[in-house]
Amino acid sequence: MTSMDVVSLSRLQFGLTAMYHFLFVPLTLGLAVLLGVMESVYVMTGRTIWREMTKFWGLLFGINFAMGVATGITMEFQFGMNWAYYSHYVGDIFGAPLAIEGLMAFFLEATFIGLFFFGWDKLTRLQHLTVTWLVALGSSLSALWILIANGWMQYPVGAKFNPATMRMEVTDFMEVLFNPVAQAKFVHTVSAGYVTGAMFVLSVSAFYLIRGRHIEFAKRSMTAAASFGLAAALSVVVLGDESGYTAGENQKMKIAAIEAMWETEPAPASFTVFGLPDSANRRTDYELKVPWMLGLIATRSIDKTLPGIKELVGRAEGRIKSGLVAYDALEKLRAQPDNAAERARLDSAAADLGYALLLKKVRPDIANATPQEINQAAWNTVPAVSPLFWSFRIMVGIGFYFIALFAVAFVLASRRQLTRYNGFLWVSLLSLPLPWIAAELGWIVAEVGRQPWVIEGVLPTFLAVSSISAANVWITLVGFVVFYSALAVIDVYLMVRTVAIGPPHDLPVGRPDLRLSVAAAE
């Protein structure tokens, strides 16, 4: 088997494990904050039902959290096993956020989640409330550091190639930390997690109301989910617009591929609501467009032009030629480390070195690449257009659907009419899978849209793999599929069983505790 087999299998393995792991992440983010909201109501009002709500949804949170941990740890090991050259080349930058995530966020989250479950009778109300919010904080910090690492892969700032070590090294950690792509991805991803948590609570509560069980519990849970979900769904759209703007500034090929925009349009560019991308003929058929919309989203102006795929391929050709200059200088500099002239040549074209490496997929002796091979390598910078085009539109459509759904739920909750419309309860229940579908499609847009790069403009994906056989990857891939399938069965069983059992029957609604301040201070 060829090295491309190893690349494809390694990508498939990491993609499957990442997408499986991400089934648990959004629910963890969303439920953690909802637990904080519910317990805050309990502490402020003293109503016992809100404490029992926190305990019940906390149990489901705990099941989800355990599965997320089990599936997340294996992903980090893959960097060393399947992506050894990637780890060697950018480990100094990429490893730092991952280490901080483990030391700061994960330990914070893991420590306080134990206090959350076992501290109800050992801590005061305010102490336990603090623990619950620290669990939520830990979940968000964990997402922050992971997305800082991922954001750097999308937009590598604060680092520079060192020809002496043949590695990328940090030059400004603050620039890595405050990477605009990472910050936009963080707030967008976290808000999507909030929607997932709200949808989960809304759907399960609707199930109870349909069955006529736990009425008071379900109505209060649904009210909390409706309010929180509406705010979260609106923020997803707003923060998604920010992600679109940062991509338009820093990942122009991704935007062009998402829009299947082969030709550069006059500013401001139109947004294609519908079309049939034809990658073979490099055109999009049956387009239905909204004038100006894409230009306003991606450039926030009416006079800035968004380049099309063909123009960007032409730019890539120029960068490949410039990268060949850097590659030639690097080869000579390795033979003569003190050659100041070659060092200056390398520095002048170092930003394009990664583009020259794209030629290694075409031929090993890239210095002798023909114009046709350079053109071929340039076209390889175009990601898979059709999957990006449709994934983005389905994701956006689901996002606007959530706004409508949570708005209706909010109105019904405000009017105390949640049990009046059985049809709405069924819609809420059947909508349960949608936030996960949207989240997975979002990751497809983010990661497929970055191809052919593992580090945008720096390191092509096909060069980042380990020197292992395809047979080894097949073994681990099959092992992961079997293991994760077993975990999926266990997770579904535990979740369904817990929901079926439900909260304790005949929960007391309770009255406000006028001695709350005294009890909280004890």
Side-chain angles (χ1 to χ4, degrees):
M1 292 187 178
T2 66
S3 60
M4 279 305 299
D5 293 314
V6 175
V7 173
S8 300
L9 288 169
S10 296
R11 287 185 63 195
L12 177 62
Q13 178 174 296
F14 196 88
L16 287 175
T17 53
M19 293 184 75
Y20 186 83
H21 172 64
F22 202 66
L23 291 173
F24 306 102
V25 173
L27 187 57
T28 295
L29 292 170
L31 273 184
V33 175
L34 270 170
L35 293 177
V37 171
M38 291 176 182
E39 190 170 353
S40 295
V41 176
Y42 163 62
V43 171
M44 289 187 291
T45 67
R47 294 184 182 273
T48 309
I49 191 170
W50 287 94
R51 182 184 67 186
E52 298 306 319
M53 287 166 56
T54 307
K55 286 185 175 182
F56 175 75
W57 296 113
L59 179 58
L60 293 169
F61 169 83
I63 296 170
N64 184 78
F65 177 81
M67 292 296 175
V69 171
T71 56
I73 292 175
T74 57
M75 292 178 60
E76 296 195 14
F77 285 102
Q78 287 184 71
F79 292 122
M81 294 188 299
N82 289 23
W83 302 94
Y85 189 71
Y86 168 83
S87 300
H88 166 78
Y89 197 67
V90 299
D92 285 357
I93 306 105
F94 189 80
L98 295 185
I100 295 171
E101 187 267 339
L103 293 172
M104 176 192 292
F106 180 74
F107 283 121
L108 173 69
E109 193 176 16
T111 299
F112 285 102
I113 199 170
L115 290 173
F116 172 83
F117 283 110
F118 301 110
W120 284 103
D121 299 323
K122 298 177 176 62
L123 301 172
T124 66
R125 291 177 178 179
L126 285 178
Q127 287 173 342
H128 195 277
L129 176 63
T130 302
V131 164
T132 303
W133 279 112
L134 285 173
V135 170
L137 175 63
S139 299
S140 295
L141 286 176
S142 181
L144 172 64
W145 289 108
I146 294 297
L147 290 169
I148 285 173
N150 183 267
W152 186 83
M153 295 169 69
Q154 309 279 346
Y155 182 48
V157 295
K160 185 178 180 181
F161 175 71
N162 185 346
T165 61
M166 295 295 290
R167 304 173 68 194
M168 295 290 292
E169 297 177 356
V170 177
T171 57
D172 187 346
F173 186 70
M174 288 297 104
E175 197 172 0
V176 175
L177 180 61
F178 294 105
N179 185 335
V181 172
Q183 301 303 316
K185 285 173 69 68
F186 169 68
V187 292
H188 184 56
T189 302
V190 168
S191 59
Y194 295 165
V195 171
T196 304
M199 191 69 247
F200 181 77
V201 173
L202 192 79
S203 297
V204 174
S205 301
F207 169 75
Y208 287 142
L209 293 178
I210 291 170
R211 298 291 295 272
R213 298 171 55 195
H214 315 297
I215 302 298
E216 294 302 320
F217 173 93
K219 287 195 297 186
R220 282 168 172 77
S221 295
M222 209 167 185
T223 299
S227 306
F228 184 65
L230 179 59
L234 290 169
S235 68
V236 165
V237 174
V238 174
L239 297 171
D241 172 74
E242 179 65 22
S243 291
Y245 175 70
T246 56
E249 289 288 301
N250 307 305
Q251 294 180 290
K252 289 180 170 51
M253 182 62 83
K254 178 186 285 188
I255 291 293
I258 288 172
E259 286 302 303
M261 189 171 71
W262 301 94
E263 306 289 347
T264 301
E265 293 187 10
S270 302
F271 177 82
T272 304
V273 178
F274 177 84
L276 297 178
D278 183 354
S279 296
N281 295 306
R282 296 170 182 171
R283 67 170 189 253
T284 303
D285 300 322
Y286 308 108
E287 292 178 309
L288 176 62
K289 295 187 173 185
V290 178
W292 291 31
M293 187 172 176
L294 179 61
L296 293 174
I297 293 173
T299 68
R300 292 181 179 168
S301 72
I302 59 173
D303 58 356
K304 290 184 180 179
T305 302
L306 274 175
I309 291 174
K310 293 180 180 179
E311 179 180 335
L312 291 170
V313 168
R315 294 184 189 182
E317 279 196 56
R319 297 196 69 175
I320 290 171
K321 293 174 183 177
S322 174
L324 287 172
V325 174
Y327 186 83
D328 179 67
L330 178 61
E331 291 291 295
K332 293 177 180 177
L333 195 60
R334 294 179 67 185
Q336 301 175 353
D338 298 327
N339 191 323
E342 295 301 332
R343 181 59 186 257
R345 285 182 69 215
L346 173 61
D347 290 342
S348 66
D352 298 326
L353 178 61
Y355 280 82
L357 298 179
L358 291 169
L359 286 166
K360 286 187 173 290
K361 190 174 182 178
V362 180
R363 63 181 300 162
D365 55 332
I366 65 174
N368 298 316
T370 66
Q372 293 77 15
E373 290 168 336
I374 291 175
N375 179 262
Q376 180 183 346
W379 273 102
N380 286 341
T381 62
V382 182
V385 174
S386 291
L388 287 172
F389 182 87
W390 290 112
S391 295
F392 179 79
R393 277 147 188 79
I394 295 171
M395 176 189 68
V396 171
I398 293 174
F400 281 104
Y401 168 78
F402 283 141
I403 294 176
L405 180 67
F406 284 118
V408 172
F410 181 78
V411 171
L412 292 178
S414 301
R415 296 178 177 178
R416 302 181 183 273
Q417 296 177 340
L418 286 173
T419 59
R420 183 174 179 179
Y421 301 99
N422 204 53
F424 173 76
L425 297 178
W426 275 105
V427 170
S428 299
L429 176 59
L430 296 176
S431 298
L432 179 59
L434 293 182
W436 282 275
I437 294 173
E440 298 291 355
L441 290 175
W443 274 110
I444 289 174
V445 170
E447 303 309 310
V448 173
R450 191 185 67 239
Q451 298 304 315
W453 305 102
V454 66
I455 304 294
E456 181 82 29
V458 173
L459 182 64
T461 303
F462 67 88
L463 291 179
V465 295
S466 304
S467 298
I468 54 177
S469 67
N472 284 338
V473 186
W474 269 117
I475 292 170
T476 54
L477 176 59
V478 171
F480 277 128
V481 169
V482 172
F483 176 64
Y484 279 13
S485 297
L487 285 181
V489 171
I490 294 171
D491 179 65
V492 171
Y493 170 76
L494 291 175
M495 284 287 197
V496 171
R497 184 172 182 272
T498 303
V499 171
I501 294 172
H505 291 277
D506 302 322
L507 287 174
V509 174
R511 293 183 178 181
D513 190 346
L514 299 179
R515 298 169 299 171
L516 181 59
S517 60
V518 177
E522 290 178 354

